Amino acid sequence: MSPFIGSAARTPRWEHLRVDETDAVATVTLARPDKLNALTFGAYADLRDLLAELSRERSVRALVLAGEGRGFCSGGDVDEIIGATLSMDTAQLLDFNRMTGQVVRAIRECPFPVIAAVHGVAAGAGAVLALAADFRVADPSARFAFLFTRVGLSGGDMGAAYLLPRVVGLGHATRLLMLGDPVRAPEAERIGLISELTDEGRADEAAQTLARRLAEGPALAYAQTKALLTAELDMPLAASVELDASTQALLMNGEDYTEFHAAFTEKRPPKWSGR
């Protein structure tokens, strides 16, 4: 996303999310604990718009997505979304489904790492939000369930059929998306769905530790690595190698590359500027 912005000011308050920023780390908390953080139309829209704003501003170097209370996110609210969609026509349904996909694209395309801190349930759309993150830090209570076929819909919702095979392989992805069975933390770690398994109740803390590490690192190098990981999923090798070469040539003109050499020569830690 381009950093160039128009005249609109930053949104001062988000109605459906709790947003905190400290030392270039943004923590975005789904805060409907009484509903296991079930998503509403407004929550989807706020996530989409917040990620776009943060991407343009470039003030955030890492983002933690967390859930308040007993779980991460139980998916779309049955009453407020599923009930409402029954009265929508096809054009309205397409607009809604495109919006949910835009949230996933925003997570994948934002120029900073996104870390999902998962405890308890991550179901339906909640599982896909975690899947879209760059890192999934989870404690032993975590369980993932891609429930879309359980409600009579395709398991390929919000890009899940694109992302999940690339994370866990086609065989596991077929089982998870077809059957909708829950995957508990030990199995999720075994098949590669979890990046880091923490002690009980420590997922949020571990996610913050990772976020601070990333925020203190070479932000431009991380942004380009993330962009290449996404772009090259569907590229042939020759195109990938050429894109890698072009990216490295640009980064070799950057301040961080020069700073590394100076720090190495002076036997000190680099002071990354993200440029």
Side-chain angles (χ1 to χ4, degrees):
M1 298 183 188
S2 172
F4 288 97
I5 61 174
S7 58
R10 169 84 175 269
T11 303
R13 186 180 68 85
W14 297 93
E15 182 177 347
H16 304 281
L17 308 168
R18 189 169 67 248
V19 182
D20 303 292
E21 291 184 37
T22 304
D23 298 330
V25 173
T27 301
V28 179
T29 305
L30 305 174
R32 297 182 75 206
D34 56 319
K35 295 290 188 72
L36 276 175
N37 302 317
L39 297 165
T40 62
F41 293 114
Y44 279 117
D46 275 5
L47 277 170
R48 176 199 61 191
D49 296 344
L50 171 64
L51 287 161
E53 286 193 13
L54 295 178
S55 296
R56 290 192 299 267
E57 287 186 358
R58 303 294 171 99
S59 61
V60 166
R61 291 192 171 195
L63 183 146
V64 174
L65 181 61
E68 183 179 324
R70 295 179 293 115
F72 176 72
C73 176
S74 59
D77 189 286
V78 173
D79 295 322
E80 294 193 33
I81 288 186
I82 297 179
T85 56
L86 295 176
S87 61
M88 290 182 179
D89 60 27
T90 301
Q92 292 172 314
L93 292 169
L94 185 56
D95 284 343
F96 165 63
N97 283 285
R98 281 175 171 162
M99 177 178 69
T100 65
Q102 287 165 0
V103 175
V104 170
R105 285 190 59 185
I107 293 172
R108 292 304 318 145
E109 294 173 4
C110 64
F112 42 78
V114 176
I115 305 153
V118 183
H119 69 285
V121 66
V128 183
L129 292 180
L131 173 66
D134 301 289
F135 300 89
R136 284 159 296 284
V137 177
D139 76 11
S141 72
R143 59 189 187 280
F144 301 82
F146 298 87
L147 297 173
F148 306 108
T149 60
R150 297 286 187 94
V151 300
L153 297 177
S154 164
D157 194 51
M158 298 170 61
Y162 176 89
L163 291 170
L164 193 58
R166 289 162 170 80
V167 173
V168 302
L170 180 60
H172 290 306
T174 300
R175 172 172 59 92
L176 299 183
L177 294 182
M178 284 275 195
L179 300 179
D181 291 340
V183 180
R184 297 188 178 275
E187 183 187 2
E189 182 185 34
R190 179 179 64 81
I191 65 177
L193 186 55
I194 287 177
S195 309
E196 178 184 348
L197 184 61
T198 72
D199 293 334
E200 189 69 42
R202 302 294 293 274
D204 287 340
E205 178 185 345
Q208 290 291 334
T209 298
L210 176 57
R212 288 192 297 271
R213 173 183 174 183
L214 291 164
E216 292 168 359
L220 185 57
Y222 291 154
Q224 292 304 308
T225 301
K226 177 173 180 172
L228 293 179
L229 284 168
T230 297
E232 293 182 18
L233 285 171
D234 299 314
M235 282 187 182
L237 177 60
S240 296
V241 169
E242 181 62 23
L243 183 57
D244 287 351
S246 300
T247 301
Q248 295 295 52
L250 291 171
L251 290 177
M252 286 174 177
N253 277 317
E255 293 180 15
D256 279 347
Y257 188 64
T258 301
E259 166 61 13
F260 165 77
H261 183 263
F264 181 83
T265 302
E266 297 167 14
K267 296 181 172 56
R268 60 171 175 82
K271 299 176 182 178
W272 305 113
S273 66
R275 293 190 294 271

